[in-house]
Amino acid sequence: MFKKLLNTLSDAIEFRSRIWVVHVSESFLKDQSFVVNEDQFSSPLSWMKSKGYDESMLEKVELMKPSQIVVVELGGATHQLMRVK
């Protein structure tokens, strides 16, 4: 039981400490970059959900390790995510 509690606490700490750099490119002239920090989220992956990521995209992002890069296509834009922490 103690081990399960430790795992639950560890998962909660992990969720609150994840940071991504997200580059969104819609065209040659229009691109944006964001630093997405889960400390500001009310639930895991809130930023991604608010942008319309589908379940398969969310799963890829959820499984990312630090320094890993994932690219997803969303609504005619390319989202390049790099997990920093």
Side-chain angles (χ1 to χ4, degrees):
M1 185 168 152
F2 183 69
K3 194 173 194 178
K4 184 174 180 171
L5 177 62
L6 284 177
N7 286 340
T8 302
L9 289 173
S10 175
D11 290 346
I13 291 169
E14 174 69 15
F15 148 61
R16 288 291 185 181
S17 67
R18 295 188 295 187
I19 299 173
W20 292 268
V21 173
V22 182
H23 180 81
V24 179
S25 179
E26 294 183 46
S27 69
F28 177 72
L29 298 174
K30 187 174 181 184
D31 63 347
Q32 302 174 30
S33 294
F34 305 91
V35 175
V36 178
N37 182 343
E38 279 201 330
D39 280 346
Q40 302 165 357
F41 291 6
S42 59
S43 62
L45 306 176
S46 294
W47 187 90
M48 292 75 174
K49 290 175 184 176
S50 73
K51 298 298 180 189
Y53 285 36
D54 66 27
E55 286 302 316
S56 66
M57 294 172 186
L58 292 171
E59 186 175 326
K60 287 179 186 178
V61 174
E62 182 69 38
L63 296 174
M64 288 177 74
K65 303 287 186 221
S67 301
Q68 185 178 358
I69 296 172
V70 167
V71 178
V72 298
E73 297 293 326
L74 180 66
T78 302
H79 291 222
Q80 298 172 323
L81 299 91
M82 180 175 67
R83 181 165 171 202
V84 180
K85 181 177 166 191

